[in-house]
Amino acid sequence: MSSGLFYAILGCALFALGLAATLLLREALRRVLAFNVMGSGGFLVFVGLAQRDGVVDPVPQAMVLTGIVVAVAATALALALLRRLEQTDAHEP
Amino acid sequence: MLIAWLIVLPLGWATLAWIAGPRRGAALAFGGVLVQTLLALALAREVAAHGPVAHAVGGWGAPLGIDLRADGLSALLIVLTQVVTLPLVLYTHAWLDAQDRDGAILWPLLGLLLAALHALFLSTDLFNLYVTLELLGLAAVALVASGGERAQLAAALRYLLASLVASGCYLLGVAIVYGVHGTVSLAALSAVLPAQPGTPTLLAGALMLIGLMIKTALFPFHAWLPAAHGSAAAPVSALLSALVVKASFYVILRLRLTVYTSWAEQLDWLPALLGGGAIVYGSWQALRAERLKMLIAYSTVAQLGYLFLLFPLLAVGEVALLAGALQILAHALAKAAMFAAAGIALLATGRDSVAGLASLAGALPLTWFAFGLAGMSLMGLPPSGGFLAKWLLIDAAIMREQWLMIVLVVASGLLAAAYVFRILSRAFRDAEHERAVALRRVPRSMEWVAFALAAASVLVGIEAGAIAELLGAGGVR
Amino acid sequence: MNADLVFDLVLGAGLLWSAAGALLGRDRYGAVILFIVFGLLMTLAWVRLAAPDIALAEAAIGAGLTGALLLDALGGDSAGTAQRGASRWLLLPLAGAIAILLAGALRGLPAPSGELREAVSAALAHSGVSHPVTAVLLNFRGYDTLLEVSVLLAALLGVLGAARDARPARLSAAPLLQAATRVLVPFMLLTAGYLLWAGAHRPGGAFQAAAVLAAGAVLLALVGMLGGWTRPALRTRLAIAAGPAVFLLVAAPSFERTLLLQLPPQHAGRLILLIEAALTLSLGFILAGLFLALLRGDTAGDGQA
């Protein structure tokens, strides 16, 4: 099995783990972690599948780079909302 | 050039509004949207006269570069975006003043939201669509949360998580498509995709569809919407219900028409079934809602169900598409008007209750009338745009002998009437008690905005001919 | 079994283990640490996939900045809430089922056509840079990058909006750490500058450079030399807006260049460097701002940036 395809399948496993966790877990912080795992899985599939013949492909690499940046933006916003909720709850029990 | 400026302009004034600060933000927003309106109308005229307009960004051309394309449907939706937003800018300015808040965050976010909508409607590239969906989603979440109230923060977080799961599924779909076909350009894919796509492509399609259905809040993936639209600030709710949820629906429609065409006909019943469920569930919840904005939000869930009924009817031809377009237009304007009216009620009475709106009947008749007009379009009473949309839908359903669908459309009209009348009738019953409540002054401009949006929702029916011409000449398929 | 496959298997196992641990572990603090480990292992995976640009970004942004955000979000509350029993036991089987469904669909695919790769190589000479990933990111698909920068700005606006009424904070000064930081930060600036310049012909570029800048800002905040933000002042707003503004100015159509983001080949290299320089500044501020806006501190700062 080529290295690319191996990572694509690994990516499927990570995506599945992240998706199941986002759906089933209750705590918001874990769901944010889960979404990140899901995203990382998807990125691995993106590059791994495209490079399954072992040749480097810059297009999916550029797209995944964009995806990582978008993911951190979303994570930051989610954490900010989470933090503000905790602070608001703490001030008005 | 028009297309390029439709992207650059909103991003530009959003950036300027961010630098310039809250005081100049409103002026920049108004000026920007005004120019955008002119650009949008010019684009629509161009498409109606000469057919779809293409724009190869950077000069490279797909699949190496990204292509933008304005056909009848996208030009129409871009015009709709301006028609809804321009009055809402005035409304928001008055609303911020009345609440004594500044728009330092709100105006730039509005510009980014509009840029995302334009970019989405014009895109022909699966990954580019992903980025536009992300921009749209984050801007929308940020707008919901910008009020700072606990309910808004909680609703925004829920919305964000749902949106991110959806984007994750969509992105995996795109990843598989690229891996199998070597391109993410819609044009290239529609050429390359055989009549019977293999399992991987089907799986990718399912993933993308699930992601987009979550973003469109199609039953049963609707759970995030009532809280988000129901607790956000009134102008934000208006934008979300009118435009943002329609964007992901547009992407589904675009994929269905361009890439997943012939064999997908077998599966068209699935979205229609879920749409039917949305109509029933959404209407029922609207009937039970105690808070006015929640009622309107559930109504959105129901009305979005309509749009999914059109998938099995696509085979009929242009009629189905025209029905869908009219439904989008009429609902967007009516819903924006309703949320605007609800916002006025909230401002005037200090309460977000169904009874609160009722108390306005005497003191703010214009607002109450606007709500009634919007309700008329939602119910599908002639001669409103909503009526024409439902009529065409029934027409197409008859042609395809989809009897259950006709029952659903008629039933939903009756259910909509039920929840609209529920509000209006309270005015007669409760007006006596409510007159004692002191009403805050509400700026006239806000009332006129609500009225204008509601009137537009009714008048859309009259312009149906021009719309049909745009769709036809634009060559949507 | 060759060495490569063994390495991949071990790495794969490590990724799955750290991910599962982060999601299912009881202790929140431990979960975040495992998540950072996951990020670092992902960096190795990207190296194995011959994607050094992604590896750099993952290390700096995915593991680094996200890790800092998470640790700051935890604050003092590191005790976990016990996960509900039923859903935990359901999770692994559900994940397994989905994984098998997905992986099964990907078997037996023919080799990729490679057309797009070849198109990139063919057009590389006219793109203004010699590193293919940078060419795709800032020229061929530069429009995506323009939108992506807007996404970051939207996220920052959201974070600032949510932080509006919070009290800004400043961590207490730690003299020894401050001295060490004073030495480190200039090196970080140099590294960022190098990454920016190098991006034209080898892995690197604006995002990686900005991540290093942001890391420097986070470091300054952690030792108490920089305070939290809630209402950025005009200078900061200009710095944040510089990237999008320059990008838009270059991208906007004019009378000679009627298309969006049309970079004439003879100037493309310089224009790309210009855009990347402005982006490095802005994205550095934005990424730092995402952290600083909600800094949980010991003393109250004034919130002005």
Side-chain angles (χ1 to χ4, degrees), chain B residues 126 169-170 173-174 177 204-213 255 260:
Chain B
L126 284 177
C169 293
Y170 178 85
V174 177
V177 168
L207 282 165
M208 289 193 280
L209 183 62
I210 290 174
L212 292 165
M213 288 198 298
L255 289 178
Y260 289 93

Side-chain angles (χ1 to χ4, degrees), chain C residues 49-123:
Chain C
L49 282 170
D53 305 76
I54 305 181
L56 280 169
E58 177 73 47
I61 302 176
L65 192 67
T66 311
L69 286 169
L70 286 167
L71 285 172
D72 198 52
L74 275 183
D77 177 21
S78 59
T81 52
Q83 301 296 319
R84 292 247 209 101
S87 51
R88 283 192 68 176
W89 296 125
L90 191 52
L91 199 149
L92 285 173
L94 179 62
I98 299 175
I100 292 173
L101 178 68
L102 291 172
L106 297 181
R107 286 172 322 152
L109 283 173
S113 64
E115 273 178 41
L116 202 48
R117 301 195 273 240
E118 286 159 18
V120 171
S121 306

Side-chain angles (χ1 to χ4, degrees), chain B residues 2-3 40-54 69-76 122 469-476:
Chain B
L2 284 172
I3 290 183
L41 288 170
L43 183 63
R45 253 197 304 272
E46 169 82 28
V47 171
H50 302 122
V53 178
R69 189 168 178 271
D71 65 8
L73 184 59
S74 37
L76 183 63
L122 293 169
E469 208 186 291
L470 177 60
L471 288 176
V476 179

Side-chain angles (χ1 to χ4, degrees), chain C residues 105-238:
Chain C
L106 297 181
R107 286 172 322 152
L109 283 173
S113 64
E115 273 178 41
L116 202 48
R117 301 195 273 240
E118 286 159 18
V120 171
S121 306
L124 195 57
H126 305 289
S127 67
V129 294
S130 54
H131 184 53
V133 173
T134 308
V136 175
L137 209 48
L138 277 135
N139 199 338
F140 307 138
R141 298 189 67 104
Y143 174 52
D144 274 342
T145 309
L146 176 63
L147 291 174
E148 170 198 356
V149 173
S150 312
V151 171
L152 274 174
L153 185 58
L156 181 65
L157 289 169
V159 168
L160 286 173
R164 193 83 72 91
D165 304 318
R167 285 176 321 147
R170 199 181 188 96
L171 286 167
S172 36
L176 191 58
L177 290 175
Q178 285 192 358
T181 308
R182 264 184 255 266
V183 174
L184 266 179
V185 170
F187 278 112
M188 293 178 90
L189 285 174
L190 264 179
T191 311
Y194 170 74
L195 282 171
L196 168 63
W197 170 80
H201 38 268
R202 55 177 49 182
F207 293 103
Q208 293 84 349
V212 173
L213 278 185
V218 169
L219 204 53
L220 287 171
L222 289 174
V223 298
M225 289 170 73
L226 199 60
W229 281 4
T230 46
R231 286 181 178 278
L234 180 62
R235 267 180 339 195
T236 316
R237 297 205 301 270
L238 278 170

